[in-house]
Amino acid sequence: MGKKRKRDAAAEEELFVSGHRACPGCGMALAVRHILRATGKDVIVVTPTGCLETFTSPYGYSPWRVPWIHHLFENGPSVASGVAAALKAQKRDHIRVLAIGGDGGTFDIGFGALSGMLERGDDVLYICVDNGAYMNTGGQRSGATPLYAATTTDPPGRRSLGKRERKKDLPAIVAAHGVPYVATASVAYLGDLRRKVRRAMAFRGSRYIQIDTPCPSVWGFPSHLTLEVGRLGVKCGLIPLYEMENGQIVSVKRIKRKVPVTEYLRLQRRFHHLLDRDELKRLQEFADDTIRRYGLLGPSEKGGSHDREGGPER
Amino acid sequence: MSRTQVLEGSEAVAWAVRACRPHVISAFPISPQTHIVEQLARMVADGELDAQYVRVESEFSAASVVSGASAAGSRAYTASSSQGLLLMTEVLYASAGLRLPFVITGVNRAVSAPITIQVDHQDTISLRDCGVLQFYAESAQEAYDLHLAAFKIAEAPDVLLPVMVCMDGWILTHSYEPVSLLEQEVVDRFLPQFRPVHFLDVNHPKTWGSYAEEDVLMEFRYSIQRAMEGAKTRIREVFTQLGELTGRDQGGLVEAYRTEGAEVVLMAMGSVAGTIKEVVDALREEGQKVGLVRIRCYRPFPHEEIWSAVRGAKVVAVLDANVSMGSEGAVSMDLKAKFYGRPGAPKVFPCIAGLGGREVAPEVVREIIRRALEGDEAEDGSWQPYWAGLRPEILP
């Protein structure tokens, strides 16, 4: 108890405040609030075009209590590189650069710029708040859309089951650039998310965190279920949470009680067309493969320092 | 105060940029811009220039890096050409909207297709509407001078817009001429360190690049337009100040060359002015009343200066090294827009000249003048653009 009270008393100054225009239950808004709790105030945030830019910046209003800049859709990473270069030139080294972009700006249209930034190793923590489609324009397919999900530009129909391809494995691509820190996180596990942001801030150079941020409006679930949907995504194996340091996986979030993918999918309208289809098996296989690949079900390594699941979520 | 060296045009520009002490340089290679950014890279590598040099994966990122650096309060520089400038277009619009005062060299080169590395002005002219000031240099010396002026003008609190210094690819970037360079301390006095009022500052957090709608967006646009118009005063001031330092008065927003009492005034931008001046001199010798107005500052458009220089002329023959397909050259359109309805305005003879490196030799200029004097416009007064030096025999 005492420990909890101490935490509350030390509650960090809120740097992303209420009053913004996110939809009810927006996973992204919650993620951003906790990202900034973890970074503290000495950051400059760059956000490419997308939901986050739109709902936080109607002219004359702002929930950002840190300097924030939106420039264009495809240049979040390079604007961030420019800010980092300026800070270095000005010797304002204690100020850190954070880019927070959606999956469209990160996986797709900003991918070239992202790769350039990573290859140069510019001192930027790039965070992708991933909701798996272009939500700002009404839910069109992106490279982050999961297999079989319905989007407005890849809808299920008599000749279609929705997204035909798997989600791009961007964390692996980022890691292939040889950056010091890559992690995946979920808004359903906020303690883990904040810890990863803090860990990322301990490194210099390019770092990447990809956060699963469920979107009630386009995924099609009631807005009070954001965290539940996020949790089920992790527990069924479709959203593996792990972190890599210098190319090696150093921790995974283990699944205590694995759930079948249907538990995750049935809550979301974007997968309803799939529930009575044989292809459902493919998604289950995919989840099982992911669990095996990252060792999400194995017992914790006794006394190992690499398993950091413990601790209640807050 | 200064020393003269024989320099390649690109090198002269690199020396100017170096003297301006930018914090951040970012570039992606494209001919014929490369020698400038290679020189700067060498200066950084040798420790002669203390700047962060960000070697990006595209021109889009080059412009974005300097935007970010500028927003963070640093003086920043980039350069590009042709396709690279077109790729930067979206960034330049947004950077003007965000009022980011970086400097960019637009090394003029024609635009694909067909792909070519030869010079014309189609690339930079395509950027005329985005809120970036545009200067055009006639010589390597002027390119040097204009870069010094560009930073000072861009950073003026009443301007705060990107400035592009345009220079003809190859003709100016790759030829050698004597260039007089100012001593560093002179430049330092002329252009002190950049101290922006607004920058990304954790102690005074501000939100940049907001979403705007019908209640305010027009006012944002209007303020850029107002800053552009207001910049004219600042440009004249800075050009004069620089002229005093260098002893070179290359004129204000335009250079009027032997326009007194001229019947025909040619109008052009860039290095072609050298050829035109020779023709003007020769024809003046022969007793013909011809002159030249060379536009040094194209955006903002210096219609007042042009008006004073051409008043009394019968015809202004505009040599556009660009075409707005389906209409005509951009400069002639600008001129007509400003002349229309003005009593005593000269006729405007639109010429397309020098596309894709097509030579504008003295006889081409003479032919333009001949046609201008002849007045071969249609009966209704409209004057079809004359494509100078076109080879109709190879057209399908």
Side-chain angles (χ1 to χ4, degrees), chain A residues 31 35 127-131 185-187 193 197 209-213:
Chain A
I35 291 166
I127 297 180
C128 175
V129 276
D130 172 17
N131 53 23
S186 165
V187 75
L193 185 161
V197 172
I209 301 177
Q210 184 170 303
I211 303 175
D212 186 56
T213 55

Side-chain angles (χ1 to χ4, degrees), chain A residues 192-226:
Chain A
D192 180 67
L193 185 161
R194 288 195 304 267
R195 184 187 64 74
K196 284 171 174 166
V197 172
R198 280 194 294 268
R199 183 67 189 150
M201 294 292 281
F203 292 86
R204 289 275 172 174
S206 300
R207 294 137 289 143
Y208 179 77
I209 301 177
Q210 184 170 303
I211 303 175
D212 186 56
T213 55
C215 167
S217 309
V218 176
W219 293 13
F221 61 80
S223 60
H224 66 282
L225 291 183
T226 305

Side-chain angles (χ1 to χ4, degrees), chain B residues 41 51 65-66 94 98 103 157 176 189 197 200 224 227 236 241 251 282 286 295 314 393:
Chain B
V65 164
V66 295
L98 283 162
V103 169
Y176 285 74
R189 276 198 303 277
V197 177
L200 295 166
I224 297 177
R236 287 182 200 111
Q241 205 181 335
E286 294 166 24
I295 297 180
K314 278 188 191 158
E393 71 278 11

Side-chain angles (χ1 to χ4, degrees), chain B residues 1-69:
Chain B
M1 285 256 293
S2 66
R3 65 206 150 90
T4 301
Q5 272 180 262
V6 175
L7 291 175
E8 196 196 39
S10 298
E11 220 178 339
V13 170
W15 276 94
V17 173
R18 173 184 152 164
C20 294
R21 301 187 192 270
H23 272 154
V24 177
I25 296 168
S26 184
F28 182 82
I30 182 167
S31 296
Q33 152 264 34
T34 41
H35 284 190
I36 300 172
V37 298
E38 285 171 348
Q39 278 296 334
L40 287 166
R42 184 199 60 73
M43 290 167 177
V44 172
D46 285 343
E48 296 168 15
L49 171 59
D50 185 16
Q52 296 295 315
Y53 194 116
V54 187
R55 296 151 188 92
V56 283
E57 76 298 334
S58 72
E59 289 92 352
F60 201 97
S61 281
S64 302
V65 164
V66 295
S67 299

Side-chain angles (χ1 to χ4, degrees), chain A residues 43-44 57-59 62 65-72 74-75 78-79 82-83 85-86 88-90 92 112-113 116 120, chain B residues 52 54-57 60-61 64-65 67-69 71-74 90-91 95 98 200-201 205-211 220:
Chain A
V43 290
I44 292 172
S57 77
Y59 181 68
S62 177
R65 288 186 174 170
V66 291
W68 178 87
I69 183 167
H70 157 252
H71 198 274
L72 290 168
E74 60 272 55
N75 67 0
S78 29
V79 170
V83 174
K88 201 168 174 189
Q90 297 164 11
R92 286 199 280 159
R120 292 188 300 271
Chain B
Q52 296 295 315
V54 187
R55 296 151 188 92
V56 283
E57 76 298 334
F60 201 97
S61 281
S64 302
V65 164
S67 299
S74 277
E90 190 193 0
V91 186
S95 301
L98 283 162
L200 295 166
D201 179 4
K206 292 191 181 81
T207 290
W208 293 52
S210 285
Y211 174 81
F220 275 105

Side-chain angles (χ1 to χ4, degrees), chain A residues 10-52:
Chain A
E12 302 92 327
E13 191 194 349
E14 213 63 87
L15 296 169
F16 185 79
V17 300
S18 61
H20 57 70
R21 300 178 183 186
C23 306
C26 175
M28 185 181 288
L30 183 60
V32 171
R33 181 148 59 92
H34 285 266
I35 291 166
L36 291 184
R37 278 188 186 180
T39 60
K41 64 178 259 303
D42 285 340
V43 290
I44 292 172
V45 178
V46 178
T47 293
T49 309
C51 277
L52 184 59

